[in-house]
Amino acid sequence: MTATRPFLASLALGLACSSPDDGREPLTADEVAPVAETYATMVALNYAETYASAQSLRDALGDLVATPSEATMTAARAAWLAARVPYDQTEVYRFYDGPIETVEGRLNAWPMDEAYVDYVEGLPDAGIINDPASYPTIDVALIRSLNEAGGETNIATGYHAIEFLLWGQDFDPNGPGARPSSDYDDSGSGTAANQDRRGDYLLAAGDLLLADLSSVVIAWDPAQPGTNYRAEFLAAEPEEIVRRILLGMASLSGAELAGERISVALDTQDQEDEHSCFSDNTHRDIVDDARGIQNVYEGRYGSSVGSGIYELVAARDLALADRLRAEIQTSVDLAEAIPAPFDRAIIDHRDAVEATVEALRTQTDSIVEAAALLDIQLAIE
């Protein structure tokens, strides 16, 4: 979810496009082409890795449901944590009406009203899982139709629904939730109730996750015949290509990461405002979101290296390009330095969290400055 914060409102007021007669050279197709190709290649690789990690997660969920045990629960949790790493790095490809926006609300929406899906403390019969009269069959079609039905916290699908079904509510001040694997044991000795329906729900959520990610992989796949989003992206005007890239960077850096994901939790000190609150993975979410921004700026993903936004900015203002590079590295380093778990850091280590927010805000200002240098106007909500 994205919210507009006061500092972003002032940022938006400062956005400007340089005038046609200010002496700056417009972006050309020749100089943007290598950056666009690198970006499109990076996006395709990142989404392909995200899909593969989601497939591994789905396999682990199947093992847990088929044979509930602490071993299969541990393996499923590990697969979920591993799947978050590439996905978080894809979030910089959002915010410009790309193909991810049609499915993102099913993939990564939060915060989640846990009682919408399953039992919570004090409400053993809560949730879709424990209401067979209203929902006799739990499958992909059902949970897709129920996602955010009646309210934006009624999250029924995606990474965080799966996270809740693996960890349960988090009552440990120093660690994650501890849902027992016996919640999936339908042999007669399981815990809670409706263990078979809980298993059906978990598998349906995994299947829908794969289906939604597959649509994005196809949209960016260079091997797809005909015209997909990648082809459309590469055929756009040079300034439009760069605008989309910078808009993703600035929106994630400012409104989403510094604002919604960190500052809100810092202000409220409420665990419910923590991104991955059941698994206590929020600090890693923050780091990998920051790395995604760095990947785009540097033009690299894993072993794939090419031309990034840095080259475009450096060609016009080397000092600004190097300053922004250093600021992005600082935000990554400071995010890494936030002590885990995040729900304790926002109380016990506020200075470390606040330093990360300030670094992200600083780099957001510089991304906007770089956009203006390139004669690009960013409309950041």
Side-chain angles (χ1 to χ4, degrees):
M1 293 170 59
T2 302
T4 301
R5 299 292 160 190
F7 81 91
L8 286 166
S10 63
L11 176 62
L13 291 174
L15 298 178
C17 179
S18 57
S19 62
D21 58 354
D22 64 1
R24 294 178 182 171
E25 292 294 325
L27 290 168
T28 67
D30 286 344
E31 65 180 327
V32 170
V35 175
E37 288 286 353
T38 295
Y39 181 84
T41 297
M42 177 192 314
V43 176
L45 289 171
N46 199 169
Y47 277 128
E49 184 176 350
T50 300
Y51 181 85
S53 69
Q55 181 64 69
S56 296
L57 171 59
R58 175 59 178 80
D59 292 344
L61 299 180
D63 291 341
L64 170 61
V65 173
T67 313
S69 69
E70 289 310 300
T72 54
M73 177 65 90
T74 298
R77 289 171 176 168
W80 187 92
L81 293 171
R84 290 297 289 176
V85 175
Y87 178 79
D88 284 333
Q89 292 182 54
T90 70
E91 294 207 88
V92 72
Y93 316 138
R94 291 182 51 203
F95 310 107
Y96 54 79
D97 294 327
I100 185 63
E101 301 303 338
T102 62
V103 296
E104 199 277 337
R106 292 197 299 265
L107 285 171
N108 197 43
W110 67 283
M112 175 184 177
D113 178 2
E114 306 98 301
Y116 184 62
V117 169
D118 200 4
Y119 75 89
V120 294
E121 186 178 45
L123 295 172
D125 299 322
I128 298 163
I129 287 170
N130 298 299
D131 189 2
S134 300
Y135 311 109
T137 301
I138 296 178
D139 56 18
V140 167
L142 176 74
I143 65 172
R144 183 194 287 118
S145 71
L146 293 178
N147 191 54
E148 297 188 345
E152 64 179 11
T153 63
N154 289 344
I155 307 304
T157 67
Y159 285 101
H160 298 298
I162 295 171
E163 179 193 12
F164 171 55
L165 290 171
L166 291 178
W167 275 273
Q169 290 177 288
D170 179 10
F171 298 114
D172 185 346
N174 299 305
R179 182 189 290 273
S181 61
S182 51
D183 274 9
Y184 293 93
D185 184 350
D186 60 2
S187 68
S189 58
T191 49
N194 295 303
Q195 298 92 345
D196 56 338
R197 288 173 57 83
R198 188 169 295 107
D200 290 342
Y201 199 114
L202 189 62
L203 297 182
D207 288 340
L208 182 55
L209 188 78
L210 280 174
D212 285 337
L213 287 172
S214 177
S215 70
V216 186
V217 170
I218 291 170
W220 284 97
D221 186 354
Q224 286 297 314
T227 301
N228 60 4
Y229 185 83
R230 174 193 172 100
E232 174 194 327
F233 175 84
L234 293 174
E237 293 297 318
E239 62 273 15
E240 173 60 16
I241 290 172
V242 178
R243 185 195 68 83
R244 294 182 196 180
I245 297 173
L246 289 173
L247 184 58
M249 293 175 62
S251 298
L252 177 60
S253 178
E256 192 72 13
L257 193 51
E260 187 73 12
R261 307 232 177 148
I262 307 179
S263 291
V264 172
L266 190 62
D267 291 344
T268 65
Q269 296 189 0
D270 187 346
Q271 187 183 64
E272 292 299 311
D273 289 324
E274 183 189 359
H275 194 194
S276 295
C277 63
F278 313 116
S279 62
D280 274 349
N281 192 59
T282 300
H283 66 297
R284 297 310 312 173
D285 289 329
I286 294 169
V287 170
D288 285 314
D289 276 339
R291 288 196 188 283
I293 297 167
Q294 186 176 51
N295 290 344
V296 171
Y297 189 67
E298 300 288 351
R300 67 168 190 249
Y301 180 74
S303 60
S304 176
V305 180
S307 298
I309 292 295
Y310 172 85
E311 278 77 13
L312 289 180
V313 179
R316 285 162 169 74
D317 189 334
L318 181 59
L320 173 58
D322 287 340
R323 168 161 56 87
L324 180 51
R325 169 181 273 172
E327 289 169 355
I328 292 173
Q329 184 62 58
T330 296
S331 72
V332 172
D333 292 343
L334 288 172
E336 286 272 17
I338 296 174
F342 183 77
D343 56 1
R344 294 308 311 169
I346 57 178
I347 298 171
D348 299 332
H349 303 281
R350 292 179 62 83
D351 288 350
V353 181
E354 289 169 351
T356 304
V357 170
E358 289 309 310
L360 289 165
R361 290 177 175 176
T362 296
Q363 78 180 31
T364 303
D365 288 342
S366 295
I367 293 169
V368 171
E369 186 179 346
L373 175 73
L374 300 173
D375 281 342
I376 291 171
Q377 183 175 8
L378 298 183
I380 304 174
E381 296 182 358

